[in-house]
Amino acid sequence: MHTSRSAIGTALLFSLASAMPNLRPRQTDAALEPWVTVNEDGKPSTVTPVLSTISGTPTVISGAPHDITATVFTETNYGKVSTSTGTAPIPTATGGDAGAGAFPVCHNKDGDNAPWCQPTQGTPLYPGTTYYFTWDPTFFPAPNTTILVQGNYLNETTGQVTDQAFESPKWSASWGFWSYKIEDSLMKYQSAKNITLQLATLTADGNSSRIIPGPTVLVTNYPGPQPETGKTPDTLALVIALPTVLGFVALCVVGTCIWHKKTRKIGLGNIMSRSRHGYGIGKSSRSRMGFGKKNKANERIQLMEREIEAEGGEVYRDMPDRPRRDSDALGSLAGTPTEERRMDFYGPGSRDQRDKNLFRDELKRQNDERF
């Protein structure tokens, strides 16, 4: 009987224990991942976060900084705030000439670009910023291995390594990091330069024994302000607005045509205006020959002269123009006469005597008789 009661009590305790929530986070939780802090003297130390309960609330003690564990990041560029999600960017030093700051512990013993963790392939590095170059210390069999962190220029056309861009002093591989400030001189007065990274292990006498290739980074200037691309147009609003606008435009065109048709009338006489006034074959022969009103006036004058002559009167006529000499009309073709000749325009038999003005002579005769 006692044994059965003990078995029932044990089952009850087990059921209660399984019903209690598990406050311990998973070991893969980023908040509990070890991280490295670097003091102002440049010496690193590894920190392991601890989960504790304070006033009934689970709390992580000695947790990594937000920039290491966060998945949402806010960046301010030229006064414009942008938010991005994803993995944390390459860690950078926060202060001091020795590169004080923090970064996560690297775990890449046999992955891509092992033992490198940061920077990754194609990462842009900006001048004026101090970056942490990190690797997995467990990659090296001997913890006291001495290495050199090297950066070499990469020919973009041939893909061959050319000159050396920078090199670290002798460094302990067990530290797992090296901080370096990117300088403008690395770009060699160009907009960007590709630099491939590598680790060179050294022997006891200081000679290089092994080259461990790493990622290729891009040294370039920090990007300027980006123009706003705007939001994607709403399809429903576009379907409603586009026909409305097109219909309004069509209505304006039709209304304008109707208004012009009512206000502007073109008569048949306006179209036939040239024919009405005479043009081409529509003109009379006299108009085409250039006579017109001037010839009609001459006809009236001649009719009046005939009436005066029929009544026995004399018709007044102007003095004829003085005839030009041959030299005036012909110029140099007339030549110079061999003898002096004088033309009498008023002598007997002259043209002036033949075309004497009878009306003026009659007036002169009447005046003479009066006196």
Side-chain angles (χ1 to χ4, degrees):
M1 186 70 177
H2 180 73
T3 306
S4 61
R5 288 180 179 177
S6 299
I8 294 172
T10 305
L12 256 159
L13 288 174
F14 180 76
S15 62
L16 289 173
S18 16
M20 291 291 292
N22 186 7
L23 299 178
R24 291 180 299 173
R26 294 175 300 172
Q27 294 299 324
T28 57
D29 194 344
L32 298 179
E33 290 290 333
W35 55 283
V36 178
T37 178
V38 182
N39 60 19
E40 294 181 355
D41 297 330
K43 293 182 179 181
S45 59
T46 303
V47 180
T48 302
V50 178
L51 180 63
S52 179
T53 302
I54 301 177
S55 300
T57 303
T59 305
V60 177
I61 300 176
S62 301
H66 176 271
D67 293 341
I68 298 177
T69 60
T71 56
V72 179
F73 304 93
T74 302
E75 182 182 7
T76 302
N77 184 13
Y78 291 92
K80 181 180 179 182
V81 180
S82 59
T83 303
S84 60
T85 59
T87 59
I90 178 174
T92 58
T94 57
D97 296 335
F103 58 89
V105 174
C106 176
H107 299 287
N108 187 24
K109 188 175 181 178
D110 53 2
D112 295 336
N113 287 326
W116 287 89
C117 281
Q118 293 289 350
T120 57
Q121 180 70 22
T123 300
L125 304 181
Y126 305 118
T129 305
T130 301
Y131 294 94
Y132 288 121
F133 295 178
T134 63
W135 58 86
D136 190 347
T138 61
F139 177 83
F140 302 92
N144 58 348
T145 303
T146 303
I147 62 173
L148 296 175
V149 183
Q150 298 174 339
N152 300 318
Y153 289 110
L154 186 66
N155 192 316
E156 300 178 3
T157 304
T158 62
Q160 299 296 324
V161 174
T162 57
D163 302 331
Q164 188 176 80
F166 56 82
E167 183 182 61
S168 71
K170 292 181 181 181
W171 205 257
S172 176
S174 61
W175 282 22
F177 87 100
W178 177 63
S179 61
Y180 178 68
K181 184 177 181 180
I182 303 299
E183 302 291 344
D184 291 327
S185 58
L186 293 177
M187 293 190 297
K188 292 186 174 182
Y189 304 101
Q190 297 184 13
S191 59
K193 270 293 188 180
N194 286 318
I195 296 179
T196 180
L197 304 178
Q198 64 183 24
L199 297 177
T201 61
L202 301 178
T203 59
D205 55 1
N207 296 325
S208 176
S209 61
R210 182 185 177 189
I211 298 297
I212 304 173
T216 299
V217 296
L218 180 67
V219 178
T220 182
N221 290 318
Y222 201 84
Q226 301 297 324
E228 295 184 1
T229 56
K231 297 182 179 179
T232 305
D234 189 1
T235 306
L236 181 60
L238 189 62
V239 169
I240 297 175
L242 188 59
T244 304
V245 173
L246 293 179
F248 176 75
V249 172
L251 183 64
C252 291
V253 172
V254 173
T256 304
C257 294
I258 295 175
W259 180 77
H260 274 287
K261 185 177 180 180
K262 290 183 177 181
T263 56
R264 183 179 179 184
K265 295 182 179 180
I266 301 176
L268 184 62
N270 294 332
I271 300 176
M272 304 298 294
S273 60
R274 291 186 175 182
S275 301
R276 184 178 63 180
H277 294 291
Y279 179 78
I281 59 175
K283 286 186 177 182
S284 62
S285 60
R286 296 178 61 84
S287 298
R288 289 198 302 271
M289 294 299 294
F291 294 101
K293 296 181 179 180
K294 183 177 180 180
N295 291 340
K296 290 182 180 180
N298 292 336
E299 291 176 357
R300 287 195 294 269
I301 293 175
Q302 292 178 3
L303 181 61
M304 293 175 61
E305 291 179 352
R306 291 174 185 174
E307 292 178 354
I308 293 174
E309 290 178 352
E311 294 177 359
E314 295 184 359
V315 180
Y316 173 80
R317 300 180 184 276
D318 293 333
M319 292 289 293
D321 295 335
R322 180 179 178 183
R324 295 180 299 175
R325 294 180 297 175
D326 292 342
S327 60
D328 295 335
L330 300 179
S332 61
L333 298 177
T336 304
T338 57
E339 61 182 3
E340 183 180 0
R341 298 179 182 178
R342 298 183 63 182
M343 298 180 65
D344 188 3
F345 294 100
Y346 302 100
S350 64
R351 182 178 177 181
D352 184 67
Q353 292 296 325
R354 291 193 306 267
D355 298 335
K356 184 181 297 183
N357 195 323
L358 300 178
F359 181 76
R360 186 174 53 190
D361 293 342
E362 180 62 20
L363 291 176
K364 182 179 180 182
R365 183 182 63 77
Q366 293 178 4
N367 289 334
D368 295 339
E369 290 178 354
R370 184 182 306 171
F371 297 102

